[in-house]
Amino acid sequence: MNFSEVFKLSSQLCKFSPDGKYLASCVQYRLVVRDVNSLQILHVYTCLDQIQHVEWSADSLFILCAMYKRGLVQVWSLEQPGWHCRVDEGCAGLVASCWSPDGRHVLNTTEFHLRITVWSLCTKSVSYIKYPKACQRGISFSRDGRYLALAERRDCRDFVSIFVCSDWQLLRHFDTDTQDLAGIEWAPNGCVLAVWDTCLEYKVLLYSLDGRLLSTYCAYEWSLGVKAVAWSPSSQFLAVGSYDGKVRILNHVTWKMITEFGHPATINDPKVVVYQEAEKSRRRALDRPGHPAPRAAESRYEVASAPVPLQTVKPAADRANPRIGVGALAFSPDSSFLATRSDNVPSAIWIWDIQKLRLFVVLEQLSPVRAFQWDPQRPRLAICTGGSKVYLWSRAGCVSVQVPGEGDFQVLSLSWHLSGDSLALLSKDHFCLCFLETEEGPRLASGQLGDHT
């Protein structure tokens, strides 16, 4: 592996462009756009206030910077650096901003979710969508960019409206049988919309494009319910993570559960490979005269033999949002694996074989997992725990890699490049790129710190 030099960053705002050519990063009120291969600065844009959100258009020709405190959005063009657009929501305020799939409309959500304003960069026209629901995942665009599904709240009831993105005309409007809708998400093929209820009511609803209810799923009653939902890239499976510590897999034919995966505190199956992170001995380095002590303990993975007890956290019963249940899950790009994290076993990542419907691998870290993400091109998983290492797993095994450089670079988040050849590693105030070796050999970048495995 090769690492770039470390660059400044604010609020972990660092994103690759969808076409993979550029890398945008924010330093307070400045937006810096670099060439991905050379990491040379191509453009520096100055915004009116500190940037709180940044997002590329789908065609990578424009980039928006949102300043929620000021109620402002500024849009910059890569083809015409002298051109820019400013959208001011005024007294209505601003809590969210995003691109439409065509990359020529900006959708702004005002304070208190009073409305969504659709601004056109081409015609300068403005459209309004009323009654957006204040929930974490209330907006979902279909993968082909043709439709927008929006969760709404009217007269104390939940609704979903489907709009045509080409002209923002309403296509369908229907109510949902939910107490307090928590999120919506299109299947990757755009044929089915998943809707799930508040955690107090276990309910997952599947709707067709024309608003027909295809199926309703409820695993149990009278307990905390759905915590996380994820579609497989093939649209064949819907994974539902629950507060009871299980993931249930629904199939796309009958929308019934085909299996459920538990997350026990002890791994008893000898067929499951359990990799445990262990610190390497530091005595050899310390005994050498004139050799400085390492700034962070090196680590490696060791294969444990069953039964393997895992580190668990006892949730606080007197606090809201207890640390229990499956809070994060993601399918590999080929839909062959599912990675999950149970919040009461925070240091472990569980990798499930979807073809055989069984547990395949467990990775247990020394610290709680902060983030994990699949390589977009192959079944390879990257993990970070807030320390100075990045961890990679594939069918061939797993590796722990120390991030080189001065100071203690704490990896709080990470992001894959479209090609899967590099990773952006983000700390609180800095970022760097990690280049992985390919069939053509290792990639190099300016300011490279060197090979480190």
Side-chain angles (χ1 to χ4, degrees):
M1 292 183 181
N2 296 288
F3 290 83
S4 73
E5 64 178 292
V6 175
F7 303 99
K8 289 185 178 180
L9 185 68
S10 297
S11 305
Q12 298 180 40
L13 295 177
C14 178
K15 291 188 177 181
F16 289 106
S17 61
D19 63 4
K21 295 180 180 179
Y22 310 108
L23 177 65
S25 60
C26 298
V27 183
Q28 295 183 347
Y29 56 88
R30 291 186 299 273
L31 172 67
V32 181
V33 178
R34 301 175 187 271
D35 178 87
V36 163
N37 293 318
S38 65
L39 293 182
Q40 296 297 314
I41 295 177
L42 301 178
H43 306 287
V44 178
Y45 303 104
T46 303
C47 294
L48 296 174
D49 205 338
Q50 182 162 339
I51 303 167
Q52 295 174 272
H53 173 70
V54 63
E55 186 174 327
W56 287 96
S57 63
D59 57 8
S60 305
L61 297 180
F62 296 91
I63 187 167
L64 70 78
C65 300
M67 292 144 277
Y68 297 140
K69 294 179 182 179
R70 293 275 296 267
L72 283 175
V73 172
Q74 287 185 267
V75 181
W76 308 95
S77 168
L78 265 70
E79 287 187 329
Q80 306 175 46
W83 178 95
H84 80 280
C85 169
R86 187 176 79 173
V87 177
D88 191 344
E89 292 292 346
C91 60
L94 183 66
V95 296
S97 183
C98 68
W99 284 105
S100 66
D102 67 358
R104 298 299 180 268
H105 294 81
V106 176
L107 281 70
N108 287 341
T109 305
T110 61
E111 285 187 346
F112 308 110
H113 285 74
L114 297 177
R115 68 171 187 247
I116 292 177
T117 310
V118 183
W119 301 85
S120 172
L121 300 186
C122 299
T123 65
K124 299 182 181 180
S125 62
V126 181
S127 304
Y128 298 100
I129 302 175
K130 296 182 179 180
Y131 313 113
K133 183 177 173 63
C135 58
Q136 189 173 10
R137 293 165 70 175
I139 293 179
S140 180
F141 290 100
S142 60
R143 185 70 60 88
D144 59 10
R146 296 176 62 186
Y147 304 109
L148 162 68
L150 176 69
E152 299 180 355
R153 187 75 172 177
R154 304 186 188 187
D155 302 324
C156 299
R157 294 175 60 192
D158 290 326
F159 296 86
V160 169
S161 288
I162 298 178
F163 297 88
V164 180
C165 294
S166 59
D167 55 10
W168 304 105
Q169 293 299 308
L170 180 65
L171 179 67
R172 291 288 186 273
H173 176 74
F174 53 91
D175 62 339
T176 60
D177 185 21
T178 53
Q179 288 189 2
D180 186 9
L181 187 153
I184 60 177
E185 186 170 350
W186 285 105
N189 62 11
C191 296
V192 179
L193 181 70
V195 177
W196 58 97
D197 211 337
T198 171
C199 63
L200 301 177
E201 182 79 14
Y202 199 117
K203 186 177 290 185
V204 178
L205 307 167
L206 286 310
Y207 290 93
S208 64
L209 182 60
D210 59 2
R212 289 182 297 114
L213 178 62
L214 301 175
S215 182
T216 301
Y217 178 74
C218 176
Y220 53 80
E221 295 180 339
W222 314 117
S223 186
L224 293 178
V226 178
K227 190 168 189 178
V229 172
W231 284 100
S232 67
S234 64
S235 302
Q236 292 177 302
F237 305 106
L238 179 65
V240 182
S242 310
Y243 277 89
D244 67 348
K246 295 181 179 180
V247 173
R248 292 166 175 87
I249 307 296
L250 310 184
N251 74 85
H252 73 297
V253 178
T254 64
W255 299 115
K256 304 298 182 183
M257 186 186 75
I258 56 175
T259 191
E260 64 179 23
F261 299 141
H263 295 72
T266 302
I267 307 298
N268 294 309
D269 188 351
K271 296 181 180 179
V272 177
V273 180
V274 180
Y275 293 102
Q276 289 184 314
E277 184 187 8
E279 289 188 359
K280 290 183 179 179
S281 174
R282 302 170 63 178
R283 183 180 304 171
R284 185 178 300 174
L286 294 174
D287 286 347
R288 271 186 267 170
H291 193 282
R295 58 183 177 84
E298 295 183 0
S299 68
R300 68 178 186 275
Y301 279 112
E302 296 178 348
V303 178
S305 301
V308 183
L310 303 176
Q311 306 172 47
T312 60
V313 174
K314 186 177 181 181
D318 58 341
R319 295 183 181 180
N321 301 315
R323 296 184 61 181
I324 58 174
V326 180
L329 61 167
F331 282 94
S332 62
D334 59 358
S335 301
S336 60
F337 293 104
L338 173 68
T340 62
R341 186 195 65 206
S342 179
D343 290 348
N344 48 306
V345 193
S347 300
I349 292 293
W350 312 64
I351 300 176
W352 308 86
D353 188 330
I354 296 301
Q355 295 176 342
K356 298 181 180 179
L357 297 178
R358 69 175 184 88
L359 181 59
F360 189 63
V361 167
V362 175
L363 308 175
E364 187 180 27
Q365 310 299 133
L366 291 172
S367 303
V369 174
R370 293 291 298 261
F372 62 92
Q373 192 177 81
W374 287 101
D375 180 333
Q377 301 297 328
R378 54 190 70 86
R380 179 168 56 180
L381 189 70
I383 304 166
C384 65
T385 62
S388 57
K389 304 178 187 69
V390 61
Y391 309 90
L392 293 170
W393 173 87
S394 68
R395 291 175 184 267
C398 51
V399 64
S400 166
V401 182
Q402 178 77 36
V403 180
E406 297 180 0
D408 193 8
F409 188 96
Q410 297 181 335
V411 186
L412 302 179
S413 183
L414 48 80
S415 176
W416 282 98
H417 184 267
L418 175 67
S419 66
D421 294 341
S422 61
L423 271 167
L425 307 179
L426 316 181
S427 72
K428 182 181 179 181
D429 300 312
H430 298 87
F431 79 93
C432 72
L433 259 58
C434 169
F435 297 98
L436 285 75
E437 292 188 9
T438 62
E439 294 179 358
E440 292 79 17
R443 287 183 57 190
L444 303 178
S446 63
Q448 174 187 305
L449 291 178
D451 184 55
H452 198 86
T453 58

